[in-house]
């Protein structure tokens, strides 16, 4: 019965919401530091993290971060809030700042292990359906494209790839 005690018809409007966890998987390998273009790949990465974070903030969805190179460098659990988004950006910014100042960083970042990063994500978020945002320059990804782990992750989660490109990185000067 949709009528109230006063014989008026009442309609309940509701918007079904579903918490949708977003995870930014950020490539922090050495190739992300190369290039002289503006904006740099590091800056573009920070902007993507901020854009995804603010979009999640607007939708009240938690956002997390996995930073990787040849190993997992950051594993920040998904959380809500502007302060948390600021924290994620500061962590990645600080990581790149330390790399440029001391030249070492947390490990030898000469290799990008996409398979390890996707296996880590797959194990950690096996019980959740996530929106995975992969941000990289995708140097060295050729063998990974047809891998089973990528197919498995894409079958269980929404996956988006952001390709950060610096055209000057591969610019070859012409001869005289």
């Amino acid at each position: 019965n949709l009528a109230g005690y006063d014989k008026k018809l009442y309609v309940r409007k509701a918007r079904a919401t579903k918490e949708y966890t977003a995870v930014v998987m950020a490539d922090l390998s050495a190739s992300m530091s190369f290039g002289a273009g503006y904006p740099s790949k590091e800056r573009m990465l920070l902007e993507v993290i901020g854009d995804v974070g603010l979009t999640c903030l607007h939708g009240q969805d938690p956002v997390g971060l996995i930073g990787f190179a040849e190993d997992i460098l950051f594993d920040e659990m998904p959380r809500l809030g502007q302060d948390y988004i600021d924290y994620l950006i500061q962590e990645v910014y600080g990581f790149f700042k330390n790399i440029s100042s001391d030249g070492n960083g947390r490990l030898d970042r000469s290799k990008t292990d996409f398979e390890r990063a996707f296996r880590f994500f797959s194990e950690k978020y096996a019980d959740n359906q996530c929106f995975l945002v992969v941000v990289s320059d995708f140097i060295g990804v050729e063998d990974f494209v047809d891998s089973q782990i990528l197919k498995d992750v894409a079958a269980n989660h929404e996956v988006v790839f952001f390709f950060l490109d610096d055209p000057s990185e591969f610019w070859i000067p012409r001869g005289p």
Side-chain angles (χ1 to χ4, degrees):
N1 187 348
L2 297 175
Y5 67 91
D6 56 359
K7 304 295 184 195
K8 290 184 181 178
L9 183 63
Y10 291 92
V11 177
R12 179 185 297 178
K13 287 187 176 184
R15 182 176 153 214
T17 59
K18 178 184 175 197
E19 187 175 277
Y20 205 59
T21 302
V23 177
V24 176
M25 186 182 294
D27 178 357
L28 303 176
S29 65
S31 65
M32 294 293 286
S33 299
F34 292 133
Y38 182 83
S40 67
K41 287 189 272 185
E42 294 170 13
R43 179 174 172 172
M44 289 187 284
L45 172 61
L46 293 170
E47 289 176 359
V48 170
I49 294 169
D51 290 343
V52 170
L54 291 176
T55 301
C56 289
L57 181 65
H58 178 73
Q60 292 296 300
D61 295 319
V63 63
L65 173 72
I66 296 173
F68 71 100
E70 69 180 63
D71 201 359
I72 303 303
L73 303 173
F74 289 100
D75 177 23
E76 299 291 343
M77 294 296 294
R79 294 194 181 117
L80 291 170
Q82 177 70 45
D83 291 340
Y84 187 65
I85 296 164
D86 293 344
Y87 165 77
L88 294 178
I89 293 170
Q90 288 171 357
E91 286 293 300
V92 175
Y93 177 79
F95 176 81
F96 281 117
K97 187 175 179 183
N98 289 341
I99 291 296
S100 63
S101 65
D102 69 11
N104 295 320
R106 295 187 184 185
L107 79 162
D108 176 14
R109 301 180 316 138
S110 61
K111 181 181 173 195
T112 306
D113 194 338
F114 287 95
E115 187 164 336
R116 178 179 278 183
F118 272 78
R119 283 199 192 290
F120 178 82
F121 171 82
S122 182
E123 291 168 7
K124 183 169 183 170
Y125 296 98
D127 297 332
N128 298 12
Q129 185 180 18
C130 296
F131 181 69
L132 177 62
V133 179
V134 183
V135 188
S136 177
D137 57 4
F138 295 102
I139 293 176
V141 76
E142 296 80 15
D143 295 334
F144 180 69
V145 173
D146 293 323
S147 69
Q148 188 60 46
I149 187 66
L150 178 58
K151 291 174 186 173
D152 292 344
V153 168
N156 295 310
H157 304 276
E158 298 293 324
V159 183
V160 174
F161 297 93
F162 276 84
F163 175 63
L164 303 183
D165 184 26
D166 180 358
S168 67
E169 185 175 1
F170 299 105
W171 180 77
I172 301 171
R174 296 187 183 230

